[in-house]
């Protein structure tokens, strides 16, 4: 019984660890990867829409600028949403993103300023050459943090699987012990019942041997003893 209780406690502990691992996966690793993936997409959209804005026709510039501004706002929203999810081991990676992504958005504002004053050639040169290092730095920083969170998620998933397998094995052992104890109890009960049945049969045989019929309540026993006494006297 003590062993069964101990294994039951072990199973509960293991299942609690599984819940912690799954919670970490659901509350941190998966949302982090999702938001960073969206950040990477929006960051690339900023770059592509900057290029599209540069070559757009005058009648489509307003629409193109609106799309570019929306992508820039989306990057800022992603950065704000992701900040609470940063873990201590990720601090350096997050700092790299903070140092590069907003800096590239500021470059984008300078690019738009150059275009707004009609300096298309300087604006074009700034976009294609001056901003290239900035966009590549932002890409690399985001990519590194995505890789970190992907590895973190895989680790949490593997931990949950390992703990789940361990708990499952312990549960099977507990069930096996319960079955074994149940069978032992049944066997012992059967043995005790069999002993009682044998005793009852023996008593019945003795009763028949001395002439006691079932239901006589012992009266026939006295009568049989009296007849034997009379035969002894004769």
């Amino acid at each position: 019984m003590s062993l069964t209780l101990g294994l039951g406690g072990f199973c509960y502990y293991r299942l609690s660890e599984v819940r912690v691992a799954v919670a970490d996966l659901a509350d941190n690793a998966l949302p982090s990867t999702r938001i960073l993936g969206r950040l990477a997409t929006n960051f690339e959209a900023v770059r592509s829409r900057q290029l599209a804005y540069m070559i757009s026709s005058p009648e489509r510039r307003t629409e193109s600028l609106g799309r570019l501004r929306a992508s820039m706002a989306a990057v800022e929203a992603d950065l704000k949403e992701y900040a609470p999810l940063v873990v201590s081991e990720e601090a350096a990676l997050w700092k790299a993103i903070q140092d590069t992504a907003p800096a590239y958005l500021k470059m984008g504002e300078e690019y738009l300023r150059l275009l707004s004053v009609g300096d298309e050639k300087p604006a074009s040169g700034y976009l294609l050459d001056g901003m290239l290092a900035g966009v590549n730095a932002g890409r690399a920083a985001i990519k590194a943090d995505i890789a970190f969170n992907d590895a973190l998620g895989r680790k949490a998933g593997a931990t949950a699987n390992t703990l789940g397998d361990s708990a499952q094995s312990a549960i099977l052992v507990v069930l096996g012990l319960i079955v074994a104890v149940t069978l032992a109890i049944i066997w012992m009960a059967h043995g005790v019942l069999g002993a009682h049945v044998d005793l009852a049969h023996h008593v019945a045989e003795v009763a028949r041997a001395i002439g006691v019929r079932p239901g006589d309540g012992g009266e026939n026993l006295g009568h049989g003893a009296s007849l034997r006494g009379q035969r002894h006297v004769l």
Side-chain angles (χ1 to χ4, degrees):
M1 180 62 71
S2 297
L3 180 60
T4 303
L5 290 175
L7 285 171
F10 174 76
C11 292
Y12 179 81
Y13 173 73
R14 282 300 193 188
L15 290 174
S16 297
E17 288 187 321
V18 171
R19 285 196 296 270
V20 171
V22 171
D24 180 61
L25 188 64
D27 296 340
N28 189 28
L30 292 179
S32 295
T33 303
R34 175 179 57 81
I35 296 172
L36 285 173
R38 191 176 65 211
L39 172 62
T41 299
N42 288 329
F43 191 76
E44 290 299 330
V46 169
R47 180 66 176 179
S48 65
R49 285 174 175 173
Q50 287 169 339
L51 294 168
Y53 182 62
M54 181 178 65
I55 62 175
S56 62
S57 60
E59 59 270 15
R60 300 194 62 179
R61 281 234 163 156
T62 300
E63 179 184 355
S64 182
L65 179 60
R67 292 176 179 175
L68 174 56
R69 287 289 187 191
S71 293
M72 295 173 72
V75 168
E76 292 177 339
D78 291 337
L79 293 171
K80 183 177 180 180
E81 183 179 0
Y82 186 74
L85 298 177
V86 177
V87 297
S88 58
E89 300 88 348
E90 189 186 5
L93 295 170
W94 174 238
K95 185 177 185 306
I97 292 177
Q98 287 181 307
D99 290 342
T100 56
Y104 183 74
L105 295 182
K106 289 181 180 179
M107 290 180 180
E109 292 292 349
E110 175 60 17
Y111 160 71
L112 292 176
R113 187 193 68 78
L114 291 173
L115 281 178
S116 67
V117 296
D119 294 335
E120 293 194 6
K121 187 174 182 179
S124 174
Y126 183 62
L127 175 64
L128 298 177
D129 296 324
M131 297 173 63
L132 185 60
V135 71
N136 286 336
R139 286 169 175 161
I142 295 170
K143 183 178 179 180
D145 209 0
I146 289 175
F148 169 83
N149 280 277
D150 181 63
L152 198 67
R154 291 178 184 274
K155 181 180 178 181
T159 299
N161 286 334
T162 300
L163 292 173
D165 290 343
S166 176
Q168 184 180 33
S169 298
I171 289 171
L172 290 175
V173 171
V174 170
L175 290 175
L177 285 174
I178 292 173
V179 170
V181 170
T182 302
L183 291 176
I185 292 173
I186 293 174
W187 179 80
M188 287 187 294
H190 183 268
V192 173
L193 181 60
H196 282 290
V197 171
D198 291 342
L199 178 60
H201 287 166
H202 180 69
V203 171
E205 290 175 358
V206 171
R208 285 195 297 270
I210 62 176
V212 176
R213 294 190 302 275
D216 283 349
E219 296 175 359
N220 197 42
L221 176 61
H223 178 66
S226 175
L227 289 177
R228 285 195 296 273
Q230 292 175 8
R231 285 197 296 271
H232 181 70
V233 171
L234 293 175

